[in-house]
Amino acid sequence: MNDEREEPRAPVADAEFLLPAGSTAPEAPPIATATANASDAPSVAPLPPSSSLPGPSHTTTAPVNDDAPVPAPIPAASVAAYAEPQPRPQPQPQQLHPSFTLRGSIQIPEFWDVERNNWPSGAVVLASLPPQRSIQKLGAAFRAEPTEWNMTAAVGQCVGDPAAEPCSKCRGGKGRFSGGCIVVPPGIDGLKQSWCCFNCRYQWQYKKCSLPKGEEQ
């Protein structure tokens, strides 16, 4: 057996190992330093903000609690109340307070110049009813005479009921009192020409009233 062993070789540089014998390795190119001109470096676009960078989408699913109470459904009426506009309430006609007195409602100074014990029976009966409106004399000043007609007309204009359809004089704005076309309220008996309005009763002008005439003429 051959006991000769190969002697280890000395390490050889990679460059020298690759080059042919008798040749030298070329010089390495110079390494760029930090002092190089920045304008010579290629421009690099800045990175977008981190909020705009695309990332993996995460989907979170809330846990389902089967024992949670189910909310009661909203009644249809409640939903309709919000969905449909509600009509505005219409203003009600102004009514006098029951505490208003006849003296405060008949705003005619000449009327109160007549003592109450001198009032005709028709005016006394009508004065037992509550006032329905304040009245004033239109046109010329109020005349108490003849009291059976004029005093009764003033009280009736204050406490009576509005006519279903105004007479031609009231409709034409020729009434003697404010308040419109007012007629004798139900339950009042004993008045002469009770079918006519109180505006036409003043100064016994009942014949000019166009309201339907009753049996009494």
Side-chain angles (χ1 to χ4, degrees), residues 2 5 18 20 37-39 58 66 85 93 101 107 109 123 132 146-147 150 160 166 170-171 179 181 192 203 212:
N2 190 4
R5 298 180 178 179
L18 298 175
N37 189 0
S39 61
H58 298 279
D66 295 336
T101 62
Q107 301 174 3
Q132 300 298 315
T147 59
N150 295 357
C170 293
R171 187 168 52 249
C181 190
K192 293 181 178 180
Q203 288 295 88

Side-chain angles (χ1 to χ4, degrees), residues 46-96:
L47 294 177
S50 59
S51 59
S52 61
L53 292 177
S57 60
H58 298 279
T59 303
T60 303
T61 303
V64 179
N65 185 4
D66 295 336
D67 298 332
V70 179
I74 301 176
S78 300
V79 176
Y82 289 98
E84 299 179 0
Q86 299 299 318
R88 294 183 178 179
Q90 297 298 325
Q92 299 298 324
Q94 183 179 5
Q95 298 291 337
L96 295 180

Side-chain angles (χ1 to χ4, degrees), residues 44-200:
V44 179
L47 294 177
S50 59
S51 59
S52 61
L53 292 177
S57 60
H58 298 279
T59 303
T60 303
T61 303
V64 179
N65 185 4
D66 295 336
D67 298 332
V70 179
I74 301 176
S78 300
V79 176
Y82 289 98
E84 299 179 0
Q86 299 299 318
R88 294 183 178 179
Q90 297 298 325
Q92 299 298 324
Q94 183 179 5
Q95 298 291 337
L96 295 180
H97 193 273
S99 64
F100 282 16
T101 62
L102 193 68
R103 179 175 289 274
S105 301
I106 300 178
Q107 301 174 3
I108 304 174
E110 297 84 0
F111 175 89
W112 297 107
D113 291 340
V114 180
E115 297 292 337
R116 190 161 185 139
N117 55 2
N118 293 327
W119 288 11
S121 59
V124 173
V125 172
L126 290 169
S128 63
L129 301 177
Q132 300 298 315
R133 65 195 59 83
S134 296
I135 66 166
Q136 297 175 343
K137 179 65 174 64
L138 302 178
F142 177 80
R143 294 181 179 181
E145 298 290 340
T147 59
E148 182 180 2
W149 294 97
N150 295 357
M151 295 290 292
T152 302
V155 178
Q157 186 73 10
C158 178
V159 303
D161 293 344
E165 292 291 338
C167 71
S168 58
K169 289 187 63 176
C170 293
R171 187 168 52 249
K174 298 180 180 180
R176 302 301 180 92
F177 301 101
S178 63
C181 190
I182 307 299
V183 296
V184 177
I188 300 298
D189 300 325
L191 295 183
K192 293 181 178 180
Q193 312 299 337
S194 58
W195 51 267
C196 75
C197 71
F198 288 110
N199 270 323
C200 293

Side-chain angles (χ1 to χ4, degrees), residues 193-195 212-217:
Q193 312 299 337
S194 58
W195 51 267
K213 297 177 174 59
E215 296 180 359
E216 183 183 1
Q217 301 295 330

